[in-house]
Amino acid sequence: DGGITQSPKYLFRKEGQNVTLSCEQNLNHDAMYWYRQDPGQGLRLIYYSQIVNDFQKGDIAEGYSVSREKKESFPLTVTSAQKNPTAFYLCASRGQYPLYEQYFGPGTRLTVT
Amino acid sequence: GESVGLHLPTLSVQEGDNSIINCAYSNSASDYFIWYKQESGKGPQFIIDIRSNMDKRQGQRVTVLLNKTVKHLSLQIAATQPGDSAVYFCAGRNYGQNFVFGPGTRLSVLP
């Protein structure tokens, strides 16, 4: 059963703590993405990776970090430097030529208090 | 900057009627569009896509229309059902670049 998995579904953290969100895909996709979703707004790109061991900042990368050591995995760390970390985080991967369609995982809701 | 947006934040339709959700985009270089359905607390689900060399594409109960002249696309859902209640949003991509997402339209299906 192919797809994108994110864990955990819900995550609670105290302010000042770093937290890592997991994203795994078995679709054999090269490109992976992290988005943040806030109520009433479109998805905003945090980081993306086109290939293993390479990643680029998106529009709102400040306070976040990523790694891409394996093709299947693209974890996101929300650091204590992120001023407003409470949000719904979505991981996605992109298909191959010629379609390049983008599929999403189920999301992780992070609440920081 | 470039944007992708929907005309209405909410839409209510009667069960069995057709639904039309609209989206406008600003970048004429956009070459590929996707419509997603997102239910509460879940990740977006791919519904249908369309390339800029097409005007229309049909799926099961859904049709996407693309008007490049006015930079507008729409999603039509035939015979809307209660299970269609969700937030729908469009995404546009510019030749190999990343997608830009609209904020979404919440579709409510009335019994």
Side-chain angles (χ1 to χ4, degrees):
Chain A
D1 191 21
I4 304 170
T5 57
Q6 291 185 241
S7 61
K9 186 173 175 63
Y10 299 97
L11 193 53
F12 298 88
R13 279 294 184 271
K14 294 290 188 183
E15 200 173 305
Q17 293 179 334
N18 292 353
V19 59
T20 298
L21 282 60
S22 168
C23 177
E24 304 279 332
Q25 55 98 1
N26 60 4
L27 300 168
N28 197 33
H29 288 170
D30 288 318
M32 296 185 74
Y33 301 79
W34 274 106
Y35 294 92
R36 172 184 171 132
Q37 188 175 39
D38 295 285
Q41 298 188 36
L43 300 180
R44 290 186 289 169
L45 181 63
I46 303 172
Y47 266 98
Y48 64 102
S49 169
Q50 306 275 30
I51 198 168
V52 173
N53 292 322
D54 187 54
F55 48 82
Q56 285 79 40
K57 292 182 179 180
D59 301 318
I60 56 165
E62 185 175 348
Y64 300 97
S65 66
V66 293
S67 63
R68 187 85 186 279
E69 297 176 1
K70 297 188 300 182
K71 187 175 185 177
E72 302 80 16
S73 179
F74 190 39
L76 172 74
T77 297
V78 184
T79 74
S80 56
Q82 166 51 231
K83 291 181 172 38
N84 186 18
T86 295
F88 191 48
Y89 290 88
L90 288 160
C91 178
S93 70
R94 191 190 70 185
Q96 318 292 1
Y97 177 85
L99 296 180
Y100 295 124
E101 71 278 18
Q102 193 163 79
Y103 296 103
F104 286 88
T108 292
R109 183 165 298 281
L110 173 65
T111 302
V112 177
T113 57
Chain B
E2 58 186 283
S3 65
V4 174
L6 287 88
H7 293 179
L8 289 174
T10 61
L11 177 66
S12 296
V13 298
Q14 211 70 37
E15 182 178 353
D17 287 352
N18 295 338
S19 302
I20 299 176
I21 302 171
N22 296 302
C23 189
Y25 60 98
S26 62
N27 194 328
S28 57
S30 297
D31 68 332
Y32 178 52
F33 302 89
I34 301 176
W35 278 100
Y36 291 95
K37 172 187 180 182
Q38 188 176 23
E39 297 176 57
S40 182
K42 297 184 178 180
Q45 176 189 352
F46 182 104
I47 300 175
I48 192 169
D49 60 354
I50 189 167
R51 296 198 163 277
S52 58
N53 60 355
M54 303 170 71
D55 296 323
K56 179 180 179 179
R57 189 152 190 242
Q58 287 184 291
Q60 188 177 9
R61 280 203 307 119
V62 294
T63 301
V64 56
L65 299 177
L66 176 62
N67 185 329
K68 294 179 285 295
T69 303
V70 296
K71 292 184 281 189
H72 177 274
L73 69 159
S74 66
L75 176 71
Q76 301 178 6
I77 305 173
T80 311
Q81 303 168 359
D84 294 328
S85 293
V87 173
Y88 292 81
F89 58 89
C90 59
R93 190 194 68 191
N94 310 324
Y95 291 112
Q97 299 302 311
N98 296 318
F99 281 93
V100 177
F101 295 85
T105 289
R106 181 171 296 280
L107 176 64
S108 298
V109 181
L110 308 174

